[in-house]
Amino acid sequence: MSTALHAPQAATPGTEAPRLEARGVTVRFGGLVANKDVDLAVGSQQIVGLVGPNGAGKSTLFAVLSGLLRPTSGRVFMDGEDVTGTSPQKRAARGLARTFQHPELFSSLSVREHLVLAYRMKNAKSRIWTDLLNFRGFASSPKAEDQRVDELVESLQLGAIQHRPAAGLPLGSARLLEIARALAREPRVLLLDEPSSGLDVRETEEVAEVLKSVVRDHGVSLLMVEHDVELVLGMSDAVHVLDFGVKIAGGTPAEVRRDPAVRAAYLGEEIEKPAVQRAEAEIEQGELA
Ligand code: ADP
Ligand code: MG
């Protein structure tokens, strides 16, 4: 990097602005404080987890970060630039993408067609309407597009199902397709809303593995809201814990695990439960095998 003559204002390693950052975010709904002075940063190629009990304010913070909700006070930054007042579309154009807790797929389009469409949303907008009106448009794809879609199919392990219609896909596959579709738009930061929601233990592990490889292969940063605390602690670089709108802890998974406030408010019970459930599931699988 240092040899490039044109490298403009190359940031010193470790000093670059976070990809996405919330500073002092407060959200009030009438008398209710859903987020209170919350700070959170997602660095380049980091996996950051956001956990907390129901009603803690996770979705609210997500909405603030993605631009769906304007905070009562506080700011949101992307790569050091204040985006607090900008629309979700503008943030998407700057490299922010998200997935939803319940995948919203087109039932008759195949897995591959979803990816082609998402790729064209970013790279060939003019084709989208002709594609939607005439599915044969999907057949004539330029080489770069084919390559990119192949890469996504491979890295999200969708090869075996790429020609199947989205209708009837198991939830685990639908979730992977949703992640692939978000990646087709080549984001720099991906917000994931409960990626393990509704999945069984095996599917959850598969999604976790894929997400880790996605960070490695696509250079993307991830911020995920999750109720599966063990999943988050096992795969994140940093974890933030919300409780009643307040961030009660934030740090490495090891730090968060040790935090007495976290254990008291939340993790003490939650850590034990999934471990037991997993052991039970393993025994069950062993018995079936
Ligand atoms: P979480 O996602 O952690 O379960 P939410 O961010 O959805 O929590 O909610 C935080 C709090 O804010 C809850 O008490 C919820 O009832 C309240 N809340 C969320 N959205 C609204 C809204 N649009 N209007 C009023 N209250 C809301
Ligand atoms: Mg929520």
Side-chain angles (χ1 to χ4, degrees), residues 136-282:
R136 272 172 299 176
F138 282 117
S140 57
S141 47
K143 207 166 162 223
E145 175 182 295
D146 260 348
Q147 255 174 20
R148 176 73 185 141
V149 171
D150 283 343
E151 277 167 26
L152 284 166
V153 164
E154 193 183 328
S155 77
L156 279 285
Q157 297 168 20
L158 297 168
I161 56 163
Q162 63 172 317
H163 299 299
R164 274 177 59 178
L169 285 181
L171 186 57
S173 305
R175 186 73 31 79
L176 289 176
L177 171 55
E178 232 222 334
I179 294 165
R181 182 167 64 164
L183 288 171
R185 304 184 72 170
E186 293 162 350
R188 306 177 80 188
V189 182
L190 182 53
L191 305 181
L192 301 158
D193 197 353
E194 304 240 1
S196 85
S197 163
L199 303 187
D200 63 26
V201 177
R202 190 186 51 76
E203 288 172 320
T204 300
E205 275 164 11
E206 196 181 326
V207 167
E209 279 316 306
V210 166
L211 286 175
K212 282 189 265 185
S213 73
V214 154
V215 170
R216 273 199 314 270
D217 303 344
H218 297 263
V220 76
S221 309
L222 300 181
L223 173 64
M224 56 176 182
V225 168
E226 251 301 328
H227 67 277
D228 186 337
V229 182
E230 268 307 314
L231 173 71
V232 171
L233 289 172
M235 68 182 288
S236 303
D237 299 298
V239 177
H240 300 273
V241 185
L242 285 180
D243 196 25
F244 292 110
V246 177
K247 195 173 96 175
I248 58 166
T252 64
E255 286 165 348
V256 166
R257 237 183 242 280
R258 279 197 301 268
D259 193 302
V262 175
R263 299 199 74 91
Y266 182 43
L267 294 183
E269 287 175 23
E270 290 289 326
I271 276 183
E272 306 305 328
K273 218 164 88 193
V276 170
Q277 281 169 355
R278 266 165 214 212
E280 280 170 2
E282 271 165 28

Side-chain angles (χ1 to χ4, degrees), residues 43-66:
S44 176
Q45 296 190 44
Q46 259 196 333
I47 301 181
V48 177
L50 180 62
V51 297
N54 251 338
K58 305 180 297 293
S59 295
T60 301
L61 186 60
F62 234 53
V64 167
L65 290 170
S66 60

